[in-house]
Amino acid sequence: MLLREVGYARPGSLGEAIQLLAADDGARALAGGQTLVNVMKARAGSPDALIDLGRIEELRGIELGADGTLEIGAMTTYTELVESSEARARPILGEVCAQIADVQVRNRGTIGGNICTSDPTNHLPPLLAALGAEMTIQGGNGVRTVAASDFFLGVYMTAVGPGELLTKIRIPAGRNDGFAAVTLGIDGTCIVSAAATQNGGLTLAIGCVDAVPVVLRPASADDDAVRAAVQDANLDPPSDVHASSEYRRHLAGVLAVRAAHQAQGSS
Ligand SMILES: Cc1cc2nc3c(=O)[nH]c(=O)nc-3n(C[C@H](O)[C@H](O)[C@H](O)COP(=O)(O)OP(=O)(O)OC[C@H]3O[C@@H](n4cnc5c(N)ncnc54)[C@H](O)[C@@H]3O)c2cc1C
């Protein structure tokens, strides 16, 4: 069976893309297409029109500020993040992007698409939550900045509203980060993931145990304190064909300790 007919536009500027999205409730932004096109093929979604962001220069690029802050355009691909010398200011970004799927997905998939999907099994939502990233969102009413803690609202739901686009992601300076995941096969999506950053105190973000990353701040970076923080969070993860709720809860503690070790340079 063929897909339903779908409109397609490839605007050359951010302003034009926002206008096209605002003009049609059924229009959706198309980034790398690695989730959206599959959703359409599975008939789980059926946009009226695709607004291809691929030609918009304002959404590209990785800038390293003098203070070590990274500003990453939403259309930056995983491969660009892996290969960028600027992104090496925060090495965990390239390390985690290199773990996502296969070379085709990494060449097409974008940091913006990954977090706008807000799929709990994706690698980047917990990572960006732990790093304290800020997202810039632009629409017809102007530009606003949203902290990662307010960006992820639910499964497939983010702070990006109708007629708006995520334009860039700002990541503060820092190097003491960690990430650990148990995935479906060697290059699959996560069954449970944990990201950690040590900046004053330890911040953890656990993925796949709730609709959005669960951010925790253990009393210290000791293994016992990390395990206690995970236990005290009373996680109630879903059970599915890949893992029971109980196993996911167990993995959350194990992976949080692993990520915390890496963040402290002890793994
Ligand atoms: C075989 C396979 C394996 C995969 N394995 C993994 C994995 O292990 N880990 C992982 O993290 N991901 C994995 N993915 C998902 C992949 O990372 C996707 O690239 C990602 O989820 C979506 O990014 P995209 O750029 O392709 O976005 P698209 O698919 O183009 O868009 C996804 C959604 O985000 C919206 N969107 C995109 N950009 C913007 C923007 N700038 N502003 C507002 N809305 C926007 C779109 O409208 C759409 O709703 C896998 C995908 C495939 C096909």
Side-chain angles (χ1 to χ4, degrees), residues 57-70:
E57 276 307 310
E58 296 128 289
L59 296 177
R60 297 203 165 269
I62 305 171
E63 279 180 31
L64 176 60
D67 63 352
T69 301
L70 279 170

Side-chain angles (χ1 to χ4, degrees), residues 53-54 56-65 69-77 80-81 84-87 93 110-112 167-171:
L53 308 180
I56 304 176
E57 276 307 310
E58 296 128 289
L59 296 177
R60 297 203 165 269
I62 305 171
E63 279 180 31
L64 176 60
T69 301
L70 279 170
E71 280 203 353
I72 303 169
M75 283 296 286
T76 305
T77 63
E80 285 165 343
L81 280 163
S84 150
S85 53
E86 286 81 9
L93 273 173
T110 65
I111 184 171
T167 58
K168 63 185 170 196
I169 295 109
R170 183 178 170 280
I171 298 178

Side-chain angles (χ1 to χ4, degrees), residues 28-38 53 59 74-75 78 99-102 105 108-114 116-117 119 121-125 160 164-167 187-190:
R28 292 289 174 270
L30 176 68
Q34 299 302 293
T35 292
L36 184 53
V37 171
N38 286 331
L53 308 180
L59 296 177
M75 283 296 286
Y78 312 133
Q99 295 170 30
I100 296 178
D102 50 42
V105 173
R108 294 288 310 168
T110 65
I111 184 171
N114 193 296
C116 284
T117 304
D119 180 335
T121 69
N122 272 5
H123 283 65
L124 297 187
V160 182
E164 290 186 321
L165 284 172
L166 171 69
T167 58
D187 53 8
T189 52
C190 303

Side-chain angles (χ1 to χ4, degrees), residues 126-186:
L127 180 65
L128 296 194
L131 300 187
E134 279 179 0
M135 324 305 179
T136 302
I137 296 171
Q138 189 165 335
N141 293 329
V143 179
R144 61 201 172 94
T145 304
V146 176
S149 51
D150 298 321
F151 183 81
F152 301 105
L153 301 181
V155 179
Y156 309 138
M157 286 187 294
T158 69
V160 182
E164 290 186 321
L165 284 172
L166 171 69
T167 58
K168 63 185 170 196
I169 295 109
R170 183 178 170 280
I171 298 178
R175 294 189 78 83
N176 303 325
D177 309 311
F179 185 87
V182 168
T183 56
L184 288 175
I186 196 159

Side-chain angles (χ1 to χ4, degrees), residues 18 27-28 37 39 42 49 72 80 92 96 116 127 129 161 178 180 191 199 205 218 225 233 249:
I18 288 169
R28 292 289 174 270
V37 171
V39 161
I72 303 169
E80 285 165 343
I92 196 76
V96 174
C116 284
L127 180 65
I191 294 174
N199 187 3
R249 210 166 19 248

